């Protein structure tokens, strides 16, 4: 089927290394920076900021908006997918399959 060439083995490991470095730079490093900045004034200052009434209120509002968006998108998504599969209409051929 596929031949295992030594050049492809080196290329495979180089590409894996590039992906790991990219993931580290784009995901792990910013997360470490955010955590370090949040804890720069100590754990007690962080806990005070997190348990502040405005922070809790903003977090609850974000959760409420997220749940609302998920429910609305699910209902409209199911309804739209049912309509697309059930009925014929002009322009249906332009939709991705």
């Amino acid at each position: 089927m596929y031949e295992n060439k030594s050049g492809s083995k080196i290329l495979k490991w180089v590409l894996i290394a590039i992906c790991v470095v990219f993931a580290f730079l784009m995901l792990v490093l910013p997360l470490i920076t955010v955590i370090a900045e949040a804890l720069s004034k100590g754990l007690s200052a962080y806990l005070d900021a997190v348990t502040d009434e405005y922070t809790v209120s903003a977090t609850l509002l974000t959760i409420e908006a997220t749940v609302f968006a998920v429910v609305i998108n699910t209902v409209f998504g199911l309804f739209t997918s049912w309509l697309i599969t059930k009925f014929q209409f002009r322009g249906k051929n332009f939709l991705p399959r």
Side-chain angles (χ1 to χ4, degrees):
M1 219 183 256
Y2 295 105
E3 294 180 27
N4 191 3
K5 300 176 183 174
S6 62
S8 65
K9 206 173 209 181
I10 293 171
L11 180 63
K12 179 178 98 172
W13 286 108
V14 167
L15 291 175
I16 289 173
I18 289 172
C19 290
V20 168
V21 169
F22 180 79
F24 180 77
L25 289 175
M26 295 296 149
L27 298 174
V28 177
L29 196 60
L31 184 62
I32 291 171
T33 304
V34 167
I35 291 172
E37 286 295 319
L39 296 174
S40 65
K41 295 181 183 176
L43 185 61
S44 63
Y46 172 76
L47 291 176
D48 288 340
V50 169
T51 57
D52 183 50
E53 78 175 272
Y54 292 116
T55 306
V56 172
S57 176
T59 304
L60 291 176
L61 180 63
T62 302
I63 292 170
E64 183 180 319
T66 302
V67 168
F68 184 74
V70 166
V71 169
I72 294 297
N73 283 332
T74 301
V75 169
F76 279 104
L78 288 172
F79 184 67
T80 304
S81 63
W82 177 73
L83 287 174
I84 288 172
T85 56
K86 187 76 174 168
F87 300 105
Q88 291 294 326
F89 53 90
R90 194 170 40 198
K92 186 175 179 179
N93 293 333
F94 293 112
L95 294 174
R97 293 177 190 231

